[in-house]
Amino acid sequence: MALLHLEIVTPDQIVLDTYVDYVGAPGVDGEFGVLAGHIPLLTALQIGLLYYRIDGKETQVFISGGFAEVAENKISILAQSAEIADNIDVKRAEAALKRAEERLLPLHKNEVDHMRAELALKRAIVRLGLTKRI
Ligand code: ATP
């Protein structure tokens, strides 16, 4: 029986609220895993894929960074955006990828916020990776 409560919340919605066996999350210092009974933890997340397992079945979720809190057999994820593969708009992610790639051309070096474009590029690459289109 899955004993770890997983909740993923964005400013728009509760993306997921379920019980799982295991969560792997993209922490800023690398991936970390959480099982029921984990010690309390608060950490920042990076853009990446979170995954959870229920009865051996693994599901991946795109996470655009944010925070994870673990307490009392519950892991709460607060993220600016989070999507399962079925909810990713591939055309939108492809357009975001193209836009970010263009902004990162040396030609635009002095006009664009490089860090912002790098993060947009990473979000697009990870989203497309989850949909297996890249
Ligand atoms: P874009 O430039 O297309 O807005 P982005 O990476 O800047 O992409 P975010 O800031 O991560 O977008 O997300 C803004 C909102 O749009 C969130 O609600 C997020 O879930 C949604 N969103 C962004 N890109 C996609 C996508 N490819 N498919 C589905 N939802 C998306």
Side-chain angles (χ1 to χ4, degrees), residues 12 62 64 80-83 87-90 92-93 96 99 120 123-124 127:
D12 302 333
F62 166 82
S64 68
Q80 195 56 40
S81 42
E83 298 120 34
N87 291 342
I88 291 177
D89 177 338
V90 173
R92 178 172 172 172
R99 225 168 28 242
R123 287 194 298 275
R127 281 187 172 111

Side-chain angles (χ1 to χ4, degrees), residues 87-123:
N87 291 342
I88 291 177
D89 177 338
V90 173
K91 284 204 163 53
R92 178 172 172 172
E94 283 172 346
L97 177 71
K98 195 160 168 250
R99 225 168 28 242
E101 280 174 341
E102 276 165 12
R103 287 184 176 136
L104 288 168
L105 289 175
L107 155 86
H108 301 302
K109 204 169 65 177
N110 299 321
E111 307 152 26
V112 302
D113 180 340
H114 201 85
M115 175 71 93
R116 190 173 157 189
E118 291 270 13
L119 292 172
L121 181 77
K122 189 166 180 195
R123 287 194 298 275

